[in-house]
Amino acid sequence: RRGHPLRAVAGHGEKVRKQAFGYGDHAPPGAPGFGGAHQQAPAETLTDTVKYISENMTNPPKYKEIIEGFGYPGQKNSAGGLCTLGRIYYGPGRYDYGRPKMPKGWIANFFYPCWEFAHILFVADRWIAWRVFRHILAITLCYIPFNIQMHWNKQMIEDYKKLMSGEGGAEQDSERIQATLRSL
């Protein structure tokens, strides 16, 4: 019995996606990371650098990037393994479509990993930066109550140590106890 190749399945009226996930078009006009030669590799001239920064760093995030970055119930995930990241925009014209074009100069090659990291996080796949922001925000919101509780506990332990060491008179001790109980 011959095996049949796996095929991408799409719903009625939906385009078949290959190597991209999320809702909407996978290569809309004006999508970040698509463009001319200045987007295909690290800029090596001053004019390419100015063009790269002016087109990419002034391009506000798209609604799709924010929604995919924060996530939603039933969100499709990307095809990847341990550290492979999905792409919500992918197709011809993107810098990593096919084989990435490497820079020509020695210094640009040396700093290519830094450029690649920043390009993915802030230009081509900005939804990953929104995902990092989501994690930082959620960790902060979950940490605040624990931090407040920690400070309360430290103060209660200090009050308890003073009470048990016999510092101060009996009147001061009873006032401290009552103040601690009122703060709870």
Side-chain angles (χ1 to χ4, degrees):
R1 189 172 141 188
R2 297 177 67 185
H4 297 289
L6 296 174
R7 294 195 174 112
V9 179
H12 180 67
E14 185 179 332
K15 291 182 181 178
V16 175
R17 296 181 205 289
K18 295 180 181 176
Q19 302 296 323
F21 74 100
Y23 68 91
D25 192 11
H26 64 278
F34 289 86
H38 64 283
Q39 298 232 8
Q40 302 300 316
E44 296 187 50
T45 64
L46 186 60
T47 54
D48 282 349
T49 304
V50 168
K51 200 169 184 182
Y52 177 80
I53 290 172
S54 66
E55 280 188 19
N56 295 318
M57 304 304 171
T58 60
N59 186 2
K62 308 290 185 256
Y63 180 74
K64 178 179 179 178
E65 295 170 343
I66 297 169
I67 297 300
E68 292 293 338
F70 276 102
Y72 50 89
Q75 182 179 23
K76 293 180 184 178
N77 50 12
S78 62
L82 185 60
C83 61
T84 304
L85 301 173
R87 302 172 180 111
I88 59 174
Y89 300 126
Y90 190 66
R94 189 178 144 115
Y95 85 102
D96 61 349
Y97 185 74
R99 180 176 288 178
K101 197 167 148 188
M102 299 304 287
K104 304 275 187 269
W106 185 89
I107 293 175
N109 269 318
F110 185 78
F111 289 108
Y112 183 77
C114 301
W115 176 86
E116 177 85 10
F117 176 77
H119 186 74
I120 287 173
L121 206 59
F122 302 118
V123 177
D125 291 320
R126 291 185 292 193
W127 70 274
I128 296 170
W130 284 101
R131 179 99 7 136
V132 170
F133 175 70
R134 178 190 74 171
H135 284 289
I136 291 170
L137 181 69
I139 288 169
T140 303
L141 290 176
C142 292
Y143 170 76
I144 288 171
F146 289 116
N147 191 26
I148 292 170
Q149 179 72 29
M150 178 187 69
H151 287 294
W152 286 349
N153 288 342
K154 283 172 60 178
Q155 184 62 40
M156 288 173 62
I157 289 170
E158 289 172 13
D159 291 344
Y160 179 78
K161 285 180 181 179
K162 286 179 185 176
L163 181 67
M164 290 297 133
S165 67
E167 292 178 15
E171 295 172 5
Q172 290 176 342
D173 292 341
S174 65
E175 288 174 15
R176 276 195 207 119
I177 292 170
Q178 287 175 2
T180 304
L181 290 175
R182 270 186 253 127
S183 69
L184 298 176

